[in-house]
Amino acid sequence: MPSRNLAQYLVVTLKGLAMGAADVVPGVSGGTIAFISGIYEELIETIHSIDLGFFTIWKQKGFLAAWRHYNLGFLAALFLGVAISILSFAKLITWLLEFHPILVWSFFFGLVIASILFVGKQIACWNGKVIVALILAAVFAYLITLAKPFGSVDSIWFLFFAGFIAIIAMILPGISGAFILLLLGAYQVIIGTLSDLGEGISKANWEIFSQAFLKVCIFGLGAIVGIKVFSRVLNWMFKHHKNMILAVLTGFMIGALNKIWPWKEVLSYRTSHDGLQVPFIERSILPTQYAEDPQLLMALLFIIFGFLSIFVLERIAVGKKEHHGVEE
């Protein structure tokens, strides 16, 4: 594992901020950001390597030796950024989706299109199996976007399950953990809980904080179990079937575009955790069929802005690799 100085750890934290911001929004994967920014395989390998041997090294050589051996400084810096971003953006994203949905979804639509191109071009060898895997993944993802959400989180076990499933999606390039939460019917509850957690801290309201903190801990426990279990599988897949898994991820992103299409017609509503009526079942429509102002020009500009955001991030990552003499 690479050694880093303080400035390099700050860069990792900034990448964590970008991952956290992406994970808050359905349709965008923090794993995609990690993949583009060049830390994805290190992240998976570091998580995969963590085991009880940490305590053996700690006992024999000290805590700092164990910390360095398992590259925990990297994880701490990254997840600090993720946590700060999620807590900071939860309220902002909720507000933006309520008052500027077309522009928000347009931005992320462009971002995902660029992500499709980025992940797809990593496929080194195109053959029949790869193409079939991509098509099947795209069809499967599209069918998921048509599925009716399962309902609201109403138990501790469901929170744990939601964390377990969502974290798997969050670390996969192309699959959004927030999108999976949306399908499970848990998205509004989790975002609301994170907002309550931040509100409880800012207003020193310990009753709100304690309730939100308990839910976050249960969700987080599910996420820890999920990421540890799945990292082993993902680490093996990337080492032995990289082309195939990249094709599947590309297909998933293509199919998921339907879910983040900016112009939607609401077919039915649901009551959120705070009593508000929010869209429950929607279908994609053409801008010309949109009942209100489709904001077509602004939407196109935000699609381009989203696309260029990934393009610029990729160029920066490539430039750093070339500067350090690392082959793509």
Side-chain angles (χ1 to χ4, degrees), residues 1 31 34-35 38-48 74 122 235 238-239 242 246 321:
M1 299 295 179
F35 196 88
I39 60 172
Y40 186 76
E41 293 193 37
E42 182 182 356
L43 171 61
I44 297 302
E45 189 173 345
T46 300
I47 294 171
H48 172 64
F74 164 75
Q122 308 300 317
N235 190 54
F238 261 91
K239 286 183 177 179
K242 189 171 183 177
L246 287 175
K321 286 182 179 181

Side-chain angles (χ1 to χ4, degrees), residues 77-241:
L78 184 68
F79 287 127
L80 174 64
V82 171
I84 291 172
S85 185
I86 289 177
L87 289 175
S88 301
F89 277 95
K91 277 190 175 296
L92 175 61
I93 291 298
T94 301
W95 184 85
L96 287 173
L97 286 174
E98 182 177 355
F99 294 102
H100 302 283
I102 290 178
L103 301 185
V104 174
W105 290 120
S106 294
F107 172 79
F108 285 106
F109 191 83
L111 192 152
V112 173
I113 290 176
S115 300
I116 290 170
L117 297 177
F118 177 82
V119 177
K121 75 178 183 180
Q122 308 300 317
I123 300 173
C125 179
W126 288 89
N127 54 42
K129 290 182 179 179
V130 169
I131 294 172
V132 169
L134 186 149
I135 293 173
L136 290 177
V139 171
F140 180 68
Y142 178 75
L143 292 176
I144 289 178
T145 67
L146 302 178
K148 180 180 178 180
F150 298 123
S152 299
V153 174
D154 56 4
S155 71
I156 290 176
W157 289 111
F158 192 86
L159 271 174
F160 180 89
F161 174 74
F164 182 91
I165 297 297
I167 197 65
I168 292 173
M170 285 177 183
I171 62 173
L172 281 172
I175 305 177
S176 163
F179 170 62
I180 298 299
L181 290 177
L182 192 68
L183 291 183
L184 292 174
Y187 180 71
Q188 294 289 344
V189 173
I190 297 301
I191 288 295
T193 299
L194 292 172
S195 296
D196 290 344
L197 188 65
E199 183 180 344
I201 294 173
S202 63
K203 296 183 178 180
N205 188 323
W206 302 117
E207 182 179 354
I208 293 177
F209 173 81
S210 61
Q211 292 176 355
F213 184 72
L214 177 61
K215 290 182 179 179
V216 169
C217 285
I218 295 168
F219 181 83
L221 181 60
I224 291 170
V225 175
I227 200 171
K228 182 57 183 171
V229 170
F230 194 66
S231 65
R232 181 181 299 273
V233 177
L234 195 58
N235 190 54
W236 184 86
M237 286 292 292
F238 261 91
K239 286 183 177 179
H240 297 90
H241 301 283

Side-chain angles (χ1 to χ4, degrees), residues 234-297:
L234 195 58
N235 190 54
W236 184 86
M237 286 292 292
F238 261 91
K239 286 183 177 179
H240 297 90
H241 301 283
K242 189 171 183 177
N243 273 344
M244 189 65 69
I245 195 169
L246 287 175
V248 170
L249 295 174
T250 302
F252 261 104
M253 283 191 286
I254 293 171
L257 284 174
N258 178 59
K259 192 67 179 181
I260 53 175
W261 178 250
W263 297 277
K264 299 285 188 182
E265 179 185 14
V266 180
L267 301 179
S268 65
Y269 290 85
R270 58 178 292 180
T271 303
S272 68
H273 76 290
D274 52 3
L276 298 176
Q277 290 293 304
V278 296
F280 182 54
I281 300 177
E282 300 174 298
R283 71 180 182 94
S284 299
I285 58 174
L286 294 173
T288 53
Q289 298 174 311
Y290 196 68
E292 301 175 23
D293 180 9
Q295 304 177 62
L296 190 57
L297 179 58

